[in-house]
Protein backbone atom coordinates (compact mmCIF):
# COMPACT_ATOMS: atom_id res chain seq x y z
CA UNK A 1 0.00 0.00 0.00
CA UNK A 2 1.33 3.47 -0.96
CA UNK A 3 1.98 5.90 1.86
CA UNK A 4 0.60 9.33 0.91
CA UNK A 5 1.15 12.50 2.95
CA UNK A 6 -1.00 15.63 2.91
CA UNK A 7 1.34 18.65 2.63
CA UNK A 8 1.04 22.42 2.29
CA UNK A 9 3.49 24.74 0.46
CA UNK A 10 3.13 28.50 0.79
CA UNK A 11 3.97 30.35 -2.41
CA UNK A 12 2.36 33.02 -4.62
CA UNK A 13 3.71 31.24 -7.73
CA UNK A 14 1.36 28.25 -7.71
CA UNK A 15 1.65 27.44 -11.43
CA UNK A 16 5.45 27.60 -11.31
CA UNK A 17 5.48 25.19 -8.36
CA UNK A 18 3.27 22.67 -10.16
CA UNK A 19 5.53 22.80 -13.25
CA UNK A 20 8.59 22.11 -11.13
CA UNK A 21 6.87 19.19 -9.42
CA UNK A 22 5.89 17.81 -12.81
CA UNK A 23 9.52 18.01 -14.03
CA UNK A 24 10.57 16.06 -10.95
CA UNK A 25 7.96 13.45 -11.90
CA UNK A 26 6.19 13.80 -8.51
CA UNK A 27 2.85 12.02 -8.16
CA UNK A 28 0.38 14.68 -6.99
CA UNK A 29 -3.18 14.04 -5.83
CA UNK A 30 -6.12 16.02 -4.42
CA UNK A 31 -4.77 19.51 -5.22
CA UNK A 32 -6.43 22.37 -3.30
CA UNK A 33 -5.66 25.98 -4.22
CA UNK A 34 -5.39 28.17 -1.17
CA UNK A 35 -4.98 31.94 -0.87
CA UNK A 36 -1.28 31.82 -0.13
CA UNK A 37 -0.24 28.45 -1.55
CA UNK A 38 -1.17 24.85 -2.45
CA UNK A 39 -2.31 21.86 -0.49
CA UNK A 40 -1.99 18.36 -2.02
CA UNK A 41 -1.10 14.73 -1.37
CA UNK A 42 2.18 13.13 -2.44
CA UNK A 43 4.04 9.93 -1.73
CA UNK A 44 6.32 9.90 1.29
CA UNK A 45 9.25 8.98 -0.99
CA UNK A 46 8.52 12.00 -3.24
CA UNK A 47 8.56 14.38 -0.27
CA UNK A 48 12.25 13.71 0.22
CA UNK A 49 12.98 14.71 -3.40
CA UNK A 50 10.83 17.84 -3.10
CA UNK A 51 12.75 18.98 -0.03
CA UNK A 52 16.06 18.17 -1.70
CA UNK A 53 15.53 19.86 -5.08
CA UNK A 54 13.06 22.59 -4.11
CA UNK A 55 14.88 23.95 -1.09
CA UNK A 56 13.31 27.40 -1.36
CA UNK A 57 9.84 25.93 -0.92
CA UNK A 58 8.96 24.99 2.66
CA UNK A 59 6.88 21.78 2.52
CA UNK A 60 4.80 21.40 5.68
CA UNK A 61 3.32 17.95 6.46
CA UNK A 62 -0.27 18.47 7.58
CA UNK A 63 -1.52 14.92 7.93
CA UNK A 64 -1.29 11.37 6.69
CA UNK A 65 -3.93 9.68 4.53
CA UNK A 66 -5.58 6.27 4.13
CA UNK A 67 -4.58 3.37 6.34
CA UNK A 68 -1.64 5.27 7.80
CA UNK A 69 -3.92 7.99 9.09
CA UNK A 70 -6.14 5.35 10.64
CA UNK A 71 -3.14 3.70 12.32
CA UNK A 72 -2.05 7.10 13.64
CA UNK A 73 -5.51 7.78 15.10
CA UNK A 74 -5.65 4.31 16.63
CA UNK A 75 -2.27 4.81 18.24
CA UNK A 76 -3.33 8.21 19.57
CA UNK A 77 -6.50 6.78 21.17
CA UNK A 78 -5.19 3.33 22.05
CA UNK A 79 -6.18 3.59 25.73
CA UNK A 80 -9.80 4.46 24.94
CA UNK A 81 -10.04 1.79 22.23
CA UNK A 82 -8.47 -0.82 24.52
CA UNK A 83 -10.98 0.05 27.23
CA UNK A 84 -13.92 -0.25 24.84
CA UNK A 85 -12.67 -3.57 23.45
CA UNK A 86 -12.11 -4.90 26.98
CA UNK A 87 -15.62 -3.82 28.05
CA UNK A 88 -17.17 -5.48 24.97
CA UNK A 89 -15.23 -8.69 25.63
CA UNK A 90 -16.37 -8.78 29.28
CA UNK A 91 -19.97 -8.14 28.21
CA UNK A 92 -19.87 -10.91 25.59
CA UNK A 93 -18.32 -13.32 28.09
CA UNK A 94 -20.96 -12.61 30.74
CA UNK A 95 -23.89 -12.86 28.32
CA UNK A 96 -22.63 -16.07 26.71
CA UNK A 97 -21.51 -17.95 29.82
CA UNK A 98 -23.33 -20.88 31.44
CA UNK A 99 -23.23 -20.66 35.24
CA UNK A 100 -25.65 -23.47 36.08
CA UNK A 101 -26.92 -26.70 34.48
CA UNK A 102 -30.20 -28.28 35.64
CA UNK A 103 -30.94 -31.85 34.56
CA UNK A 104 -34.63 -32.36 35.30
CA UNK A 105 -35.44 -36.01 36.12
CA UNK A 106 -36.28 -37.96 39.26
CA UNK A 107 -33.65 -40.68 38.63
CA UNK A 108 -30.26 -39.62 40.06
CA UNK A 109 -28.31 -42.15 37.96
CA UNK A 110 -29.92 -40.85 34.75
CA UNK A 111 -29.14 -37.25 35.76
CA UNK A 112 -25.51 -38.22 36.33
CA UNK A 113 -25.37 -39.99 32.95
CA UNK A 114 -26.69 -36.87 31.18
CA UNK A 115 -24.25 -34.58 33.05
CA UNK A 116 -21.31 -36.82 32.05
CA UNK A 117 -22.49 -36.86 28.41
CA UNK A 118 -22.81 -33.07 28.37
CA UNK A 119 -19.32 -32.75 29.85
CA UNK A 120 -17.92 -34.97 27.07
CA UNK A 121 -19.60 -32.65 24.54
CA UNK A 122 -18.00 -29.59 26.16
CA UNK A 123 -21.16 -28.37 27.92
CA UNK A 124 -20.17 -27.54 31.50
CA UNK A 125 -20.64 -24.73 33.99
CA UNK A 126 -18.53 -21.68 33.13
CA UNK A 127 -18.43 -22.79 29.49
CA UNK A 128 -19.76 -20.70 26.61
CA UNK A 129 -23.22 -21.16 25.15
CA UNK A 130 -23.54 -23.05 21.90
CA UNK A 131 -25.82 -22.44 18.94
CA UNK A 132 -29.22 -24.10 18.51
CA UNK A 133 -27.79 -26.39 15.82
CA UNK A 134 -24.90 -27.47 18.09
CA UNK A 135 -27.29 -28.30 20.93
CA UNK A 136 -29.43 -30.33 18.53
CA UNK A 137 -26.35 -32.29 17.45
CA UNK A 138 -25.46 -32.95 21.11
CA UNK A 139 -29.01 -34.15 21.82
CA UNK A 140 -28.92 -36.56 18.87
CA UNK A 141 -25.47 -37.87 19.82
CA UNK A 142 -26.57 -38.60 23.41
CA UNK A 143 -29.75 -40.32 22.20
CA UNK A 144 -27.72 -42.39 19.72
CA UNK A 145 -25.24 -43.34 22.44
CA UNK A 146 -27.96 -44.44 24.90
CA UNK A 147 -30.89 -45.60 22.73
CA UNK A 148 -32.13 -48.00 25.42
CA UNK A 149 -32.07 -45.39 28.20
CA UNK A 150 -33.31 -42.09 26.72
CA UNK A 151 -36.71 -41.55 25.09
CA UNK A 152 -36.33 -37.82 24.38
CA UNK A 153 -34.08 -34.99 25.44
CA UNK A 154 -34.53 -31.24 25.41
CA UNK A 155 -32.04 -28.42 26.09
CA UNK A 156 -33.44 -24.99 26.95
CA UNK A 157 -31.26 -21.92 27.61
CA UNK A 158 -32.71 -19.35 30.03
CA UNK A 159 -30.27 -16.50 30.55
CA UNK A 160 -27.14 -18.03 32.05
CA UNK A 161 -28.88 -21.26 33.08
CA UNK A 162 -29.11 -24.44 30.98
CA UNK A 163 -32.19 -26.59 31.66
CA UNK A 164 -32.03 -30.16 30.37
CA UNK A 165 -35.26 -32.17 30.36
CA UNK A 166 -35.06 -35.90 29.80
CA UNK A 167 -37.45 -38.82 29.77
CA UNK A 168 -36.26 -42.37 30.35
CA UNK A 169 -37.01 -45.00 27.72
CA UNK A 170 -38.96 -48.04 28.85
CA UNK A 171 -38.22 -50.86 26.41
CA UNK A 172 -40.84 -53.51 25.79
CA UNK A 173 -38.50 -56.45 25.40
CA UNK A 174 -41.00 -58.84 23.90
CA UNK A 175 -38.35 -60.55 21.79
CA UNK A 176 -36.20 -61.60 24.74
CA UNK A 177 -36.22 -65.30 25.36
CA UNK A 178 -37.40 -65.15 28.94
CA UNK A 179 -38.68 -68.53 30.07
CA UNK A 180 -41.03 -66.98 32.65
CA UNK A 181 -42.20 -63.40 33.01
CA UNK A 182 -45.17 -61.20 33.93
CA UNK A 183 -46.41 -58.13 32.06
CA UNK A 184 -46.45 -55.14 34.46
CA UNK A 185 -47.39 -51.46 34.13
CA UNK A 186 -44.55 -49.07 33.33
CA UNK A 187 -46.78 -46.09 34.22
CA UNK A 188 -49.98 -45.35 36.11
CA UNK A 189 -53.16 -44.85 34.11
CA UNK A 190 -56.64 -46.05 33.10
CA UNK A 191 -56.78 -49.16 30.89
CA UNK A 192 -58.21 -48.40 27.44
CA UNK A 193 -57.54 -51.68 25.61
CA UNK A 194 -55.88 -55.01 26.34
CA UNK A 195 -54.72 -57.86 24.12
CA UNK A 196 -53.34 -61.01 25.76
CA UNK A 197 -51.09 -63.22 23.65
CA UNK A 198 -49.68 -65.41 26.46
CA UNK A 199 -50.58 -65.57 30.13
CA UNK A 200 -53.66 -64.59 32.15
CA UNK A 201 -55.09 -61.07 32.05
CA UNK A 202 -55.60 -59.58 35.53
CA UNK A 203 -57.11 -56.19 34.55
CA UNK A 204 -60.09 -54.96 32.55
CA UNK A 205 -60.90 -51.90 30.46
CA UNK A 206 -61.43 -48.73 32.58
CA UNK A 207 -59.47 -50.21 35.52
CA UNK A 208 -57.04 -47.79 37.14
CA UNK A 209 -53.54 -49.30 37.53
CA UNK A 210 -50.41 -47.96 39.19
CA UNK A 211 -46.81 -48.22 38.06
CA UNK A 212 -45.46 -51.73 38.72
CA UNK A 213 -48.90 -53.38 38.97
CA UNK A 214 -49.24 -56.76 37.23
CA UNK A 215 -51.34 -56.64 34.06
CA UNK A 216 -50.89 -60.11 32.56
CA UNK A 217 -49.63 -62.96 34.74
CA UNK A 218 -47.21 -65.54 33.42
CA UNK A 219 -48.37 -68.04 36.06
CA UNK A 220 -51.32 -70.00 34.63
CA UNK A 221 -53.39 -71.51 37.45
CA UNK A 222 -56.40 -73.83 37.73
CA UNK A 223 -58.32 -74.21 40.99
CA UNK A 224 -55.70 -72.09 42.78
CA UNK A 225 -52.91 -74.39 41.60
CA UNK A 226 -50.21 -73.18 39.15
CA UNK A 227 -50.24 -75.54 36.19
CA UNK A 228 -47.79 -73.75 33.91
CA UNK A 229 -45.41 -70.78 33.93
CA UNK A 230 -44.90 -68.89 30.68
CA UNK A 231 -43.49 -65.56 29.59
CA UNK A 232 -46.55 -63.31 29.48
CA UNK A 233 -46.93 -61.20 26.35
CA UNK A 234 -49.51 -58.87 24.89
CA UNK A 235 -50.34 -55.19 24.50
CA UNK A 236 -51.99 -53.03 27.14
CA UNK A 237 -52.92 -49.44 26.27
CA UNK A 238 -53.81 -46.96 29.01
CA UNK A 239 -54.63 -43.29 29.37
CA UNK A 240 -51.55 -41.67 30.91
CA UNK A 241 -51.33 -38.08 32.17
CA UNK A 242 -48.54 -35.55 31.84
CA UNK A 243 -48.02 -32.10 33.35
CA UNK A 244 -45.65 -30.40 30.92
CA UNK A 245 -43.95 -26.98 31.12
CA UNK A 246 -42.85 -25.03 28.07
CA UNK A 247 -41.86 -21.49 27.14
CA UNK A 248 -41.49 -19.51 23.92
CA UNK A 249 -40.24 -15.93 23.27
CA UNK A 250 -42.79 -13.20 22.57
CA UNK A 251 -40.45 -11.52 20.08
CA UNK A 252 -38.41 -12.90 17.23
CA UNK A 253 -35.97 -11.44 14.76
CA UNK A 254 -36.80 -12.22 11.16
CA UNK A 255 -34.47 -11.61 8.26
CA UNK A 256 -35.07 -11.29 4.53
CA UNK A 257 -32.75 -10.78 1.56
CA UNK A 258 -32.80 -7.37 -0.10
CA UNK A 259 -31.52 -8.83 -3.38
CA UNK A 260 -28.14 -7.13 -3.10
CA UNK A 261 -25.12 -9.48 -3.31
CA UNK A 262 -21.38 -8.79 -3.46
CA UNK A 263 -18.31 -11.04 -3.71
CA UNK A 264 -15.43 -11.14 -1.24
CA UNK A 265 -12.49 -13.39 -0.42
CA UNK A 266 -11.61 -15.13 2.84
CA UNK A 267 -8.48 -16.96 3.94
CA UNK A 268 -8.66 -19.54 6.72
CA UNK A 269 -5.86 -21.12 8.75
CA UNK A 270 -7.10 -23.48 11.46
CA UNK A 271 -9.77 -21.54 13.38
CA UNK A 272 -8.47 -18.13 12.24
CA UNK A 273 -10.35 -16.40 9.41
CA UNK A 274 -9.32 -13.26 7.53
CA UNK A 275 -11.59 -11.39 5.10
CA UNK A 276 -9.49 -9.69 2.44
CA UNK A 277 -11.80 -6.90 1.24
CA UNK A 278 -14.06 -4.46 3.01
CA UNK A 279 -17.70 -5.55 2.94
CA UNK A 280 -19.90 -3.56 0.59
CA UNK A 281 -23.31 -4.73 1.78
CA UNK A 282 -23.34 -3.30 5.32
CA UNK A 283 -23.30 -4.94 8.72
CA UNK A 284 -26.46 -7.04 8.30
CA UNK A 285 -25.63 -9.82 5.88
CA UNK A 286 -25.79 -13.52 5.17
CA UNK A 287 -22.53 -15.11 4.03
CA UNK A 288 -21.97 -18.23 1.93
CA UNK A 289 -18.42 -19.59 1.64
CA UNK A 290 -17.28 -21.52 -1.44
CA UNK A 291 -13.92 -23.32 -1.09
CA UNK A 292 -11.60 -22.45 -3.99
CA UNK A 293 -8.46 -24.40 -3.07
CA UNK A 294 -6.17 -25.49 -0.22
CA UNK A 295 -2.43 -24.80 -0.04
CA UNK A 296 0.02 -25.70 2.76
CA UNK A 297 -2.70 -25.76 5.39
CA UNK A 298 -4.32 -22.53 4.14
CA UNK A 299 -7.86 -22.57 2.78
CA UNK A 300 -9.01 -19.97 0.24
CA UNK A 301 -12.72 -19.18 -0.07
CA UNK A 302 -14.92 -17.10 -2.35
CA UNK A 303 -17.51 -15.36 -0.22
CA UNK A 304 -20.99 -14.41 -1.34
CA UNK A 305 -22.32 -11.62 0.88
CA UNK A 306 -26.09 -11.19 0.74
CA UNK A 307 -27.51 -8.03 2.26
CA UNK A 308 -30.40 -8.73 4.64
CA UNK A 309 -32.93 -6.67 6.56
CA UNK A 310 -33.69 -7.56 10.17
CA UNK A 311 -37.24 -7.08 11.43
CA UNK A 312 -38.42 -7.52 15.01
CA UNK A 313 -41.68 -9.47 15.03
CA UNK A 314 -43.84 -9.47 18.17
CA UNK A 315 -46.21 -12.39 18.65
CA UNK A 316 -49.68 -11.90 20.03
CA UNK A 317 -50.51 -13.90 23.14
CA UNK A 318 -52.68 -16.24 21.06
CA UNK A 319 -49.86 -16.86 18.55
CA UNK A 320 -47.30 -17.49 21.31
CA UNK A 321 -49.72 -19.82 23.10
CA UNK A 322 -50.22 -21.86 19.92
CA UNK A 323 -46.44 -22.13 19.42
CA UNK A 324 -45.94 -23.32 23.02
CA UNK A 325 -48.77 -25.84 22.69
CA UNK A 326 -47.37 -27.17 19.40
CA UNK A 327 -43.94 -27.48 21.03
CA UNK A 328 -45.37 -29.61 23.87
CA UNK A 329 -47.30 -31.90 21.52
CA UNK A 330 -44.32 -32.21 19.19
CA UNK A 331 -42.11 -33.40 22.05
CA UNK A 332 -44.71 -35.92 23.24
CA UNK A 333 -45.43 -37.20 19.73
CA UNK A 334 -41.81 -38.26 19.29
CA UNK A 335 -42.42 -41.37 21.42
CA UNK A 336 -45.92 -42.34 20.18
CA UNK A 337 -46.40 -45.29 17.84
CA UNK A 338 -49.20 -45.80 15.29
CA UNK A 339 -51.66 -47.00 17.94
CA UNK A 340 -50.88 -44.28 20.48
CA UNK A 341 -52.40 -40.80 20.41
CA UNK A 342 -53.08 -37.60 22.35
CA UNK A 343 -56.53 -37.85 23.96
CA UNK A 344 -56.86 -34.47 25.65
CA UNK A 345 -54.85 -31.33 26.22
CA UNK A 346 -55.47 -28.30 28.41
CA UNK A 347 -53.45 -25.23 29.40
CA UNK A 348 -53.58 -25.04 33.19
CA UNK A 349 -51.61 -21.84 33.65
CA UNK A 350 -49.92 -19.23 31.48
CA UNK A 351 -47.75 -16.26 32.42
CA UNK A 352 -45.66 -13.73 30.52
CA UNK A 353 -42.32 -12.92 32.12
CA UNK A 354 -39.11 -11.42 30.74
CA UNK A 355 -40.68 -11.24 27.28
CA UNK A 356 -41.43 -14.99 27.30
CA UNK A 357 -44.70 -16.92 27.53
CA UNK A 358 -44.58 -19.74 30.09
CA UNK A 359 -47.30 -22.40 30.15
CA UNK A 360 -48.18 -25.32 32.39
CA UNK A 361 -50.08 -27.82 30.24
CA UNK A 362 -52.02 -31.00 31.06
CA UNK A 363 -51.88 -33.70 28.38
CA UNK A 364 -53.65 -37.08 28.40
CA UNK A 365 -52.05 -39.67 26.10
CA UNK A 366 -53.07 -43.18 25.08
CA UNK A 367 -49.89 -45.24 25.50
CA UNK A 368 -48.72 -48.84 25.54
CA UNK A 369 -47.68 -49.38 29.20
CA UNK A 370 -47.01 -53.12 29.41
CA UNK A 371 -43.42 -54.22 30.06
CA UNK A 372 -42.12 -57.71 30.76
CA UNK A 373 -40.61 -58.57 34.14
CA UNK A 374 -38.81 -61.85 34.60
CA UNK A 375 -39.46 -64.16 37.55
CA UNK A 376 -37.72 -67.34 38.63
CA UNK A 377 -39.37 -70.71 39.21
CA UNK A 378 -37.95 -73.35 41.61
CA UNK A 379 -39.06 -77.02 41.25
CA UNK A 380 -39.76 -78.86 44.49
CA UNK A 381 -39.98 -82.33 42.98
CA UNK A 382 -38.32 -84.15 40.12
CA UNK A 383 -41.49 -84.43 38.06
CA UNK A 384 -41.98 -80.63 37.99
CA UNK A 385 -45.59 -80.80 39.22
CA UNK A 386 -45.19 -78.35 42.06
CA UNK A 387 -43.82 -74.79 41.60
CA UNK A 388 -43.02 -71.75 43.74
CA UNK A 389 -42.91 -68.39 41.95
CA UNK A 390 -40.63 -65.51 42.84
CA UNK A 391 -41.73 -62.36 41.08
CA UNK A 392 -39.18 -59.83 42.23
CA UNK A 393 -41.60 -58.33 44.74
CA UNK A 394 -44.61 -58.19 42.39
CA UNK A 395 -47.21 -60.87 43.11
Amino acid sequence: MKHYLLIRIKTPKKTSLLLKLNRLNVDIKDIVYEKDGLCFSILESDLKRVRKYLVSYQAEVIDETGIYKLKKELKKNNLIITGIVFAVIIFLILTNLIVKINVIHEDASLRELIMDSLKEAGVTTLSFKKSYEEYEEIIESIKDKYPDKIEWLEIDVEGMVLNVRVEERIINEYQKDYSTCHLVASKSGIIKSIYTEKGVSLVSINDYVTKGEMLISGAIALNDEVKENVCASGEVYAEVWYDVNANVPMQEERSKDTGKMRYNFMVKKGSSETVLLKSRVGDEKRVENVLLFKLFGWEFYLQKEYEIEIEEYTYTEEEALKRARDLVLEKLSIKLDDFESVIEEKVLQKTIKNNKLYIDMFVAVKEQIGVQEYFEVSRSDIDGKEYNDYTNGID
Side-chain angles (χ1 to χ4, degrees):
M1 291 179 290
K2 295 181 179 179
H3 187 186
Y4 280 91
L5 299 174
L6 182 64
I7 69 169
R8 175 183 288 122
I9 296 179
K10 292 184 179 181
T11 178
K13 300 177 181 180
K14 303 180 181 65
T15 303
S16 175
L17 172 61
L18 291 174
L19 290 172
K20 291 179 180 180
L21 291 172
N22 186 53
R23 284 195 296 270
L24 289 174
N25 200 25
V26 174
D27 184 13
I28 307 172
K29 294 175 61 178
D30 306 321
I31 302 173
V32 177
Y33 288 85
E34 297 182 343
K35 183 178 180 182
D36 56 349
L38 293 172
C39 185
F40 50 85
S41 297
I42 63 173
L43 290 170
E44 184 183 36
S45 56
D46 288 340
L47 178 61
K48 296 177 182 178
R49 290 195 296 137
V50 170
R51 285 176 170 171
K52 180 178 179 181
Y53 295 107
L54 302 178
V55 180
S56 60
Y57 293 91
Q58 297 298 318
E60 176 190 1
V61 178
I62 301 174
D63 204 350
E64 295 181 285
T65 62
I67 189 67
Y68 294 92
K69 181 176 181 180
L70 177 61
K71 289 170 66 176
K72 181 180 178 181
E73 292 298 321
L74 291 175
K75 187 175 180 180
K76 185 190 300 183
N77 300 286
N78 64 335
L79 289 178
I80 296 174
I81 294 171
T82 302
I84 294 173
V85 170
F86 182 77
V88 170
I89 292 173
I90 294 298
F91 174 78
L92 291 175
I93 290 174
L94 292 178
T95 54
N96 288 277
L97 205 64
I98 297 171
V99 299
K100 186 178 181 181
I101 299 176
N102 293 325
V103 179
I104 304 170
H105 196 273
E106 58 190 13
D107 189 340
S109 62
L110 186 59
R111 292 199 303 269
E112 185 177 356
L113 182 145
I114 295 298
M115 287 296 289
D116 291 342
S117 299
L118 291 173
K119 187 176 181 180
E120 291 177 4
V123 181
T124 61
T125 54
L126 301 183
S127 65
F128 288 103
K129 297 175 185 176
K130 298 182 181 296
S131 66
Y132 173 83
E133 290 76 17
E134 289 175 313
Y135 280 131
E136 287 297 310
E137 290 179 4
I138 292 171
I139 288 171
E140 291 303 320
S141 66
I142 295 175
K143 288 168 64 178
D144 290 342
K145 189 175 181 180
Y146 302 103
D148 58 337
K149 292 182 178 295
I150 299 172
E151 184 66 49
W152 66 269
L153 192 67
E154 180 186 53
I155 296 178
D156 182 31
V157 181
E158 293 185 3
M160 302 170 75
V161 178
L162 197 71
N163 293 317
V164 183
R165 296 177 175 85
V166 59
E167 181 161 337
E168 186 178 9
R169 171 165 289 178
I170 307 298
I171 298 179
N172 300 323
E173 299 175 320
Y174 295 113
Q175 302 304 317
K176 283 194 174 183
D177 188 22
Y178 285 149
S179 58
T180 53
C181 66
H182 299 305
L183 203 68
V184 300
S186 62
K187 301 175 183 179
S188 300
I190 296 177
I191 302 298
K192 289 299 180 182
S193 66
I194 181 167
Y195 164 69
T196 304
E197 185 177 358
K198 287 184 181 180
V200 179
S201 176
L202 303 180
V203 294
S204 303
I205 294 176
N206 293 328
D207 283 353
Y208 174 76
V209 296
T210 58
K211 182 178 180 180
E213 186 174 337
M214 192 183 302
L215 305 174
I216 301 176
S217 174
I220 300 175
L222 180 63
N223 298 326
D224 298 327
E225 181 182 351
V226 176
K227 297 297 184 180
E228 184 183 5
N229 288 286
V230 299
C231 186
S233 61
E235 293 182 348
V236 182
Y237 287 86
E239 181 178 333
V240 180
W241 308 283
Y242 293 94
D243 187 357
V244 187
N245 296 313
N247 67 83
V248 293
M250 295 295 293
Q251 287 185 327
E252 180 181 68
E253 286 189 348
R254 295 182 176 180
S255 62
K256 65 176 182 178
D257 289 354
T258 64
K260 184 178 179 181
M261 188 274 286
R262 295 290 184 269
Y263 289 103
N264 208 330
F265 295 94
M266 187 264 287
V267 180
K268 184 176 181 181
K269 176 75 170 180
S271 59
S272 176
E273 297 181 357
T274 303
V275 178
L276 301 183
L277 305 176
K278 182 180 178 181
S279 176
R280 293 179 293 159
V281 297
D283 296 331
E284 302 294 346
K285 58 187 176 183
R286 176 173 60 85
V287 178
E288 292 181 3
N289 293 321
V290 179
L291 179 63
L292 298 176
F293 60 91
K294 297 181 180 180
L295 184 65
F296 302 120
W298 293 85
E299 298 177 359
F300 297 83
Y301 291 86
L302 173 67
Q303 279 193 343
K304 294 180 180 180
E305 298 179 335
Y306 297 90
E307 185 180 58
I308 60 174
E309 292 180 349
I310 304 296
E311 297 177 345
E312 190 79 22
Y313 182 80
T314 301
Y315 290 96
T316 64
E317 185 174 328
E318 290 74 17
E319 290 174 328
L321 185 61
K322 183 179 183 302
R323 292 178 68 227
R325 170 189 168 277
D326 291 344
L327 178 63
V328 169
L329 296 182
E330 179 186 346
K331 295 299 182 183
L332 288 176
S333 297
I334 293 174
K335 60 183 180 179
L336 301 182
D337 64 27
D338 293 338
F339 300 99
E340 297 173 317
S341 61
V342 175
I343 300 173
E344 182 185 358
E345 67 208 49
K346 184 178 181 180
V347 176
L348 302 176
Q349 186 178 4
K350 59 180 178 179
T351 56
I352 297 177
K353 183 181 178 182
N354 297 330
N355 213 24
K356 280 188 175 182
L357 174 69
Y358 295 82
I359 67 167
D360 182 10
M361 188 170 177
F362 165 81
V363 183
V365 182
K366 180 185 176 183
E367 284 188 59
Q368 206 293 113
I369 64 168
V371 293
Q372 290 178 323
E373 185 170 287
Y374 173 73
F375 69 91
E376 295 181 356
V377 177
S378 62
R379 292 174 173 82
S380 61
D381 60 17
I382 198 166
D383 294 327
K385 294 180 180 178
E386 206 175 305
Y387 300 93
N388 292 316
D389 295 349
Y390 297 90
T391 60
N392 298 326
I394 300 177
D395 193 82

